[in-house]
Amino acid sequence: MDGKGTSLQERRQDAERALAEAEARLRCLVEWVSDGYLLYDTQGSLLDANPSACNVLGYERSDLGGRGVCDVLEGSGLTDLDEPLRDGKPRALEATGRRKDGTTFPARVTLGLVEDGGLPMFIALIHDLTEENSSRERIEYLSGHDALTGLLNKERFTAHVDDSIDRAERGRRQVAVLHVDLNRFSLINEGLGFDGGDELLRQTASRLREAIRPMDLVARLSADEFLI
């Protein structure tokens, strides 16, 4: 009996030690993960937050305690935190994060349900989309604009011209396209170098913008050619 009792006690101690080690690893992961981690009760009151959440929201951890989910996040689906209980599956949604100073940022929030001692709690993982959105907008901008001058590129200008022609035909109006070519541009590159040539192109683009009407468009067609 003593041997069996000792064996059971050792197994229990091993299990408790393994559980403590697993919890320590999980806590370490929560503390170091780049996304913000927020733990809420079913009433929407904040119980815990990791450093990333404090950083993106602009709060000290002590200041976040007790704040409701709607104090730091805005979005449809955040007001009814019981919904994830219905199927037990995590769900992601687009939301707006609100920092302590009142500024906001776009966020992707993943909500999940966990239990602690039989009590249901919600985890909210916050991923700040500011940089991703900025990169996506930059890529979209560059897809339709000349990187050097900031003018429309040939493809985007052509699409606008096609649309203008369609509208002009329906309204019995006319569309004019002007071609501008810089004479002897190669001499600028040869005499002042490519940096000098680039500066001339930027200055030309700026002057063309100033010369056109608000409803007009200007584009860079090729090295030293422009369209209006």
Side-chain angles (χ1 to χ4, degrees), residues 37-57:
Y37 160 90
L38 301 174
L39 181 66
Y40 292 96
D41 62 21
T42 54
Q43 303 304 312
S45 295
L46 185 63
L47 302 175
D48 192 18
N50 70 348
S52 293
C54 296
N55 181 59
V56 73
L57 294 171

Side-chain angles (χ1 to χ4, degrees), residues 153-166 217:
N153 60 22
K154 177 182 176 181
E155 290 74 17
R156 185 63 59 86
F157 183 82
T158 300
H160 281 292
V161 169
D162 290 341
D163 181 63
S164 296
I165 291 175
D166 289 340
L217 298 173

Side-chain angles (χ1 to χ4, degrees), residues 146 149 151-154 157 178-183 185 201 204-205 208 218-228:
D146 174 56
T149 63
L151 299 178
L152 294 177
N153 60 22
K154 177 182 176 181
F157 183 82
L178 304 180
H179 176 258
V180 179
D181 182 19
L182 299 182
N183 293 330
F185 178 69
L201 292 172
T204 301
L208 289 175
V218 59
R220 185 183 179 195
L221 177 61
S222 62
D224 59 351
E225 295 178 282
F226 300 85
L227 294 172
I228 298 175

Side-chain angles (χ1 to χ4, degrees), residues 24-221:
R25 288 194 296 270
L26 178 60
R27 188 65 201 179
C28 183
L29 176 63
V30 167
E31 290 294 304
W32 287 100
V33 70
S34 59
D35 285 347
Y37 160 90
L38 301 174
L39 181 66
Y40 292 96
D41 62 21
T42 54
Q43 303 304 312
S45 295
L46 185 63
L47 302 175
D48 192 18
N50 70 348
S52 293
C54 296
N55 181 59
V56 73
L57 294 171
Y59 285 91
E60 296 294 333
R61 185 174 294 188
S62 58
D63 295 333
L64 273 172
R67 291 187 178 274
V69 61
C70 293
D71 292 331
V72 295
L73 293 171
E74 300 175 2
S76 59
L78 289 171
T79 55
D80 182 12
L81 287 179
D82 287 334
E83 186 174 340
L85 279 172
R86 297 170 188 169
D87 56 16
K89 297 179 181 179
R91 62 190 179 96
L93 53 89
E94 299 295 311
T96 299
R98 182 173 296 280
R99 301 185 182 92
K100 182 179 180 180
D101 62 8
T103 59
T104 60
F105 62 93
R108 181 184 302 113
V109 179
T110 302
L111 292 174
L113 175 66
V114 295
E115 289 190 2
D116 186 3
L119 297 176
M121 298 180 183
F122 292 99
I123 290 177
L125 296 178
I126 305 174
H127 182 71
D128 187 351
L129 294 173
T130 302
E131 186 173 339
E132 292 180 21
N133 287 355
S134 178
S135 297
R136 184 163 51 248
E137 290 170 1
R138 180 62 178 168
I139 292 172
E140 171 62 22
Y141 175 83
L142 290 176
S143 70
H145 292 77
D146 174 56
L148 177 64
T149 63
L151 299 178
L152 294 177
N153 60 22
K154 177 182 176 181
E155 290 74 17
R156 185 63 59 86
F157 183 82
T158 300
H160 281 292
V161 169
D162 290 341
D163 181 63
S164 296
I165 291 175
D166 289 340
R167 287 187 284 109
E169 289 177 345
R170 291 194 299 269
R172 297 182 180 277
R173 293 177 296 177
Q174 294 181 330
V175 176
V177 177
L178 304 180
H179 176 258
V180 179
D181 182 19
L182 299 182
N183 293 330
R184 297 187 294 276
F185 178 69
S186 60
L187 297 179
I188 300 296
N189 280 333
E190 293 172 3
L192 300 178
F194 290 113
D195 289 342
D198 288 348
E199 180 60 26
L200 175 61
L201 292 172
R202 283 190 288 264
Q203 290 292 332
T204 301
S206 177
R207 294 191 181 189
L208 289 175
R209 285 195 195 94
E210 294 173 357
I212 63 175
R213 301 171 302 174
M215 71 284 292
D216 296 332
L217 298 173
V218 59
R220 185 183 179 195
L221 177 61

